[in-house]
Amino acid sequence: MTYVVTEACIKCKYTDCVEVCPVDCFYEGDNMLVIHPDECIDCGVCEPECPADAIKPDTESGLEKWLEVNTEYAKLWPNITQKKDAPPDAKEFDGVDGKFDKFFSPAPGTGD
């Protein structure tokens, strides 16, 4: 098992989760975070820290796409280990459906 970041993170990109991760397995894209599944130790401390409820265990049904997204982009995006301010419009996008098709960016973030 591993944890994955899901669509709820897109355009919200809260980074409370990276601050508590003991193994620094988060990677930053332009408008979301992902977890490297081979680095995640399945401790679960990140899940309750996410204000957008975007982090889920990959054992939940229907998350296969998100495991693929996390796996692919963790290899491409820079590591992030420190909390940053959320985007100014994060609250506007919290809870919005269909964000992957409308807003996902494959561009990397800045990392630490």
Side-chain angles (χ1 to χ4, degrees), residues 10-52:
I10 297 172
K11 300 281 279 179
C12 292
K13 200 167 96 169
Y14 298 110
T15 56
D16 305 63
C17 52
V18 303
E19 195 169 52
V20 299
C21 181
V23 294
D24 300 334
C25 65
F26 282 89
Y27 291 81
E28 183 184 14
D30 178 45
N31 65 6
M32 77 173 289
L33 304 175
V34 294
I35 294 171
H36 194 304
D38 294 335
E39 296 174 1
C40 178
I41 60 171
D42 312 327
C43 68
V45 297
C46 59
E47 185 179 18
E49 295 299 317
C50 180

Side-chain angles (χ1 to χ4, degrees), residues 4-106:
V4 295
V5 180
T6 63
E7 179 174 66
C9 184
I10 297 172
K11 300 281 279 179
C12 292
K13 200 167 96 169
Y14 298 110
T15 56
D16 305 63
C17 52
V18 303
E19 195 169 52
V20 299
C21 181
V23 294
D24 300 334
C25 65
F26 282 89
Y27 291 81
E28 183 184 14
D30 178 45
N31 65 6
M32 77 173 289
L33 304 175
V34 294
I35 294 171
H36 194 304
D38 294 335
E39 296 174 1
C40 178
I41 60 171
D42 312 327
C43 68
V45 297
C46 59
E47 185 179 18
E49 295 299 317
C50 180
D53 195 30
I55 301 172
K56 304 289 182 190
D58 74 340
T59 54
E60 285 189 18
S61 63
L63 294 180
E64 297 81 13
K65 170 186 177 174
W66 293 105
L67 180 58
E68 290 176 19
V69 168
N70 280 247
T71 301
E72 178 180 351
Y73 288 98
K75 295 174 186 172
L76 303 172
W77 292 346
N79 189 239
I80 179 171
T81 61
Q82 298 175 4
K83 184 176 177 176
K84 297 180 179 181
D85 291 335
D89 58 353
K91 289 186 180 179
E92 294 173 36
F93 289 96
D94 198 347
V96 172
D97 290 328
K99 292 195 288 184
F100 185 80
D101 291 334
K102 294 177 190 171
F103 305 115
F104 175 76
S105 171

